Amino acid sequence: MSRRYPWRRLSPDVVADRIEQALSKRIYLVHQKGPTGFILKEEQCERKHKVYLGDPHSCTCSTFIQERELCIHILWVILKKFRMPKENPLVYQRCMVEREINELVYGRNLRMAKRPAVEERVQDDAGGDEVKQKELTGNDVCPICQDELLESSEPITYCKRGCGKSVHIKCMKVWADHQKSTGELIIRCPLCREDFGPLEILRNEFHRSTTSRKSLATERNDVHLHISCHSCHVSPIIGKCYRCSVCRTLYLCHACFARRIHEEHSFEYKTKPLHRWRPALRSSGQALPAAVLTDLQTRELTTEDYDVLLQLDDSLSDGTGCLPPHVVKSFPVERIKRGSALLSPGVHCSVCLQSFNLLQYVRILPCRHRFHQRCIDRWLTQDRGTCPVDGQAVPAVIYARKLKPKQTRKDTALPPLTNSKHLVGSSAGLQLVGNSFGRTTLSSSPFGQDVRRDVVMRRNDHRKRAPV
């Protein structure tokens, strides 16, 4: 069976980028014409596009008309509608022969038939014709946007007159608007084609869902509406919102960005919707805070810096990852009061190297070291899950403490804070605190190999001048 276009052994770069965009972009399937014809509508775009799969594929969008190359609409149908893995070579082919079309369409119907059976329709207690909503399973997807229902925080509704299956309220509103524009008087279910229910009820549900989100945005000014995370699919994103500088339509929440997802491209972020996008720097897994490394390069080295500089010899990271926010928040917090040892001259936070102030909040790690709450929270969740003072992995410290025998309330109390044992000294000298767990090898400087090499050379010069 001949092809109009030759078989591709590898995916072109432009198609590979569009595959990632199609997987992350919100597109609505508003009408289906036979097994291979579809009408799609992008989010926040009024124009609709007709997609046909065959030999060759076709789309009415401007990208396909100008380039005659696979667009995100064709790829969305193949990847999201028919659930074909993106590693399958058929995804980036410009055409499909009849055998491949049958495998794509009827193979999906066979997989759909293997899903667990759902319960029968149950009449409402009031004697009406409404049915109960079917319980969601891990295989249930929205028939309009093709996203999995359990992995999304979007509010849902269900078919009240037919199958009882769920669908996103926002997607159903787009579906109903399209049917209304074509002259339909009854809103049909996209699954069973039965009467979905009164249009007025659907509008009320959509109004309540949008009102609740707007009220959340009113209470908090860091809520990014109509944006969903590409990894965890949370929507809306609250707090810092990250956007890929290359893909432009790929967004991540702060938790997914800290897990180093989509590392091949750079990112930019903004905290509030009205703010400008700013470059976002990923952590390089450094074992010392940037302020400490900068301090080492801008002052004269002393004998007290020997232990810290010695750990820069090893250029390999020990692979310690970040900590989840709920683990960091479980560590105790105290407020600095008058007479506290933290207010002594020369005592400062070993993350930012800034002094402590009265009434500030400090967080206490299991190794008894104190830091500014915001500084250590950012360090543990975004940079590295180790103590900046002794280099110990925090989960290992927690595990070691759990293995100890039960102690009395007096034994488990926090020891008194002293400048020499629990804190880094003044900026004139940096001293590494010893502990029973031994020294943890630290990784290279976040400023690159050149900076690390410069610090090591200065340490070697200092070692040569040191008395024997």
Side-chain angles (χ1 to χ4, degrees):
M1 190 176 296
S2 61
R3 292 177 175 273
R4 181 165 300 186
Y5 294 102
W7 178 267
R8 287 174 168 173
R9 299 183 61 184
L10 297 175
S11 173
D13 293 339
V14 62
V15 177
D17 292 339
R18 290 173 182 174
I19 288 175
E20 299 298 331
Q21 295 179 26
L23 291 173
S24 60
K25 195 174 186 63
R26 173 62 74 88
I27 299 179
Y28 304 103
L29 173 61
V30 296
H31 188 68
Q32 182 170 349
K33 296 183 176 181
T36 59
F38 309 90
I39 298 180
L40 307 180
K41 179 181 179 298
E42 295 185 30
E43 189 175 24
Q44 299 178 353
C45 180
E46 296 299 329
R47 186 175 180 181
K48 301 171 185 176
H49 307 285
K50 297 180 181 179
V51 176
Y52 295 94
L53 301 183
D55 189 11
H57 303 322
S58 65
C59 181
T60 58
C61 69
S62 59
T63 302
F64 181 83
I65 294 176
Q66 295 175 4
E67 303 177 7
R68 291 297 172 181
E69 185 57 270
L70 297 178
C71 61
I72 61 174
H73 308 104
I74 297 176
L75 295 171
W76 185 89
V77 171
I78 298 175
L79 295 169
K80 301 294 288 286
K81 170 64 179 176
F82 292 106
R83 300 289 170 180
M84 179 172 284
K86 65 179 182 179
E87 296 81 9
N88 195 319
L90 285 176
V91 173
Y92 48 83
Q93 304 302 323
R94 300 174 66 182
C95 63
M96 290 186 185
V97 297
E98 183 178 358
R99 174 182 57 83
E100 295 167 346
I101 289 290
N102 292 335
E103 179 183 352
L104 179 70
V105 176
Y106 299 108
R108 177 180 183 273
N109 293 335
L110 183 61
R111 292 191 300 268
M112 296 272 293
K114 294 181 180 179
R115 293 184 179 182
V118 295
E119 55 183 346
E120 298 294 333
R121 264 195 325 184
V122 180
Q123 297 292 332
D124 194 4
D125 297 337
D129 56 352
E130 292 189 359
V131 298
K132 290 186 177 181
Q133 184 177 11
K134 298 294 178 61
E135 183 179 357
L136 292 178
T137 63
N139 296 325
D140 290 331
V141 298
C142 175
I144 301 174
C145 69
Q146 301 299 320
D147 288 340
E148 296 185 6
L149 295 174
L150 291 180
E151 293 187 0
S152 174
S153 60
E154 292 279 344
I156 60 175
T157 183
Y158 69 99
C159 178
K160 302 176 178 59
R161 303 283 179 85
C163 59
K165 293 186 177 180
S166 301
V167 61
H168 291 143
I169 295 179
K170 183 178 180 180
C171 298
M172 195 61 204
K173 178 66 167 51
V174 175
W175 174 274
D177 291 341
H178 172 75
Q179 290 195 346
K180 184 180 178 181
S181 64
T182 59
E184 294 285 343
L185 300 179
I186 300 177
I187 306 301
R188 302 286 181 181
C189 174
L191 292 171
C192 64
R193 305 298 175 182
E194 296 292 336
D195 184 8
F196 190 84
L199 180 60
E200 190 65 26
I201 296 179
L202 179 62
R203 287 177 176 174
N204 293 336
E205 291 177 343
F206 178 76
H207 177 72
R208 286 196 299 268
S209 64
T210 55
T211 302
S212 61
R213 294 197 170 200
K214 288 181 179 179
S215 62
L216 177 62
T218 304
E219 296 174 0
R220 299 188 52 170
N221 55 3
D222 59 347
V223 179
H224 305 268
L225 298 176
H226 311 297
I227 297 179
S228 59
C229 177
H230 172 72
S231 178
C232 64
H233 304 286
V234 63
S235 178
I237 295 179
I238 301 177
K240 285 187 177 181
C241 177
Y242 296 85
R243 182 181 69 177
C244 179
S245 303
V246 179
C247 303
R248 310 299 294 180
T249 57
L250 190 147
Y251 298 91
L252 292 178
C253 63
H254 177 69
C256 295
F257 179 80
R259 299 206 319 262
R260 308 184 69 84
I261 296 175
H262 198 70
E263 288 186 292
E264 57 270 19
H265 293 156
S266 60
F267 274 78
E268 50 191 6
Y269 79 98
K270 61 180 180 180
T271 306
K272 300 178 182 179
L274 298 180
H275 287 180
R276 294 181 179 180
W277 293 100
R278 300 179 179 179
L281 300 178
R282 289 187 183 271
S283 65
S284 58
Q286 72 273 14
L288 287 176
V292 177
L293 293 165
T294 304
D295 179 65
L296 289 174
Q297 301 174 47
T298 56
R299 63 175 173 82
E300 290 294 332
L301 300 179
T302 65
T303 56
E304 296 179 349
D305 302 327
Y306 180 78
D307 291 334
V308 176
L309 296 175
L310 185 62
Q311 301 179 64
L312 296 177
D313 284 337
D314 191 357
S315 60
L316 298 177
S317 174
D318 58 0
T320 305
C322 301
L323 296 182
H326 69 276
V327 174
V328 178
K329 292 180 180 179
S330 64
F331 300 147
V333 176
E334 67 178 13
R335 200 170 188 178
I336 302 177
K337 300 179 181 179
R338 293 186 182 276
S340 173
L342 295 174
L343 300 177
S344 302
V347 179
H348 54 253
C349 172
S350 59
V351 176
C352 64
L353 298 184
Q354 300 295 321
S355 59
F356 295 99
N357 297 323
L358 187 64
L359 301 181
Q360 278 187 333
Y361 287 97
V362 295
R363 191 177 295 281
I364 310 172
L365 297 189
C367 54
R368 302 295 195 269
H369 295 131
R370 273 90 164 166
F371 309 89
H372 287 140
Q373 181 181 359
R374 297 182 62 180
C375 295
I376 194 61
D377 288 359
R378 189 185 305 111
W379 168 262
L380 294 176
T381 58
Q382 300 182 22
D383 294 319
R384 196 175 182 85
T386 59
C387 174
V389 175
D390 53 32
Q392 287 297 319
V394 175
V397 175
I398 297 175
Y399 181 72
R401 292 187 64 194
K402 288 183 178 179
L403 293 180
K404 292 182 180 180
K406 293 184 178 180
Q407 298 174 336
T408 62
R409 188 177 185 88
K410 183 177 180 181
D411 295 334
T412 57
L414 292 177
L417 183 63
T418 60
N419 299 343
S420 61
K421 183 176 181 180
H422 299 290
L423 293 174
V424 176
S426 63
S427 58
L430 185 66
Q431 182 177 0
L432 183 66
V433 179
N435 56 81
S436 59
F437 294 94
R439 180 172 57 84
T440 300
T441 302
L442 302 184
S443 64
S444 60
S445 167
F447 302 100
Q449 295 295 330
D450 296 338
V451 174
R452 189 192 68 84
R453 190 181 302 111
D454 177 67
V455 175
V456 172
M457 292 177 60
R458 295 180 62 190
R459 189 265 300 166
N460 293 335
D461 295 339
H462 179 77
R463 183 190 297 175
K464 293 178 182 179
R465 295 194 302 264
V468 179

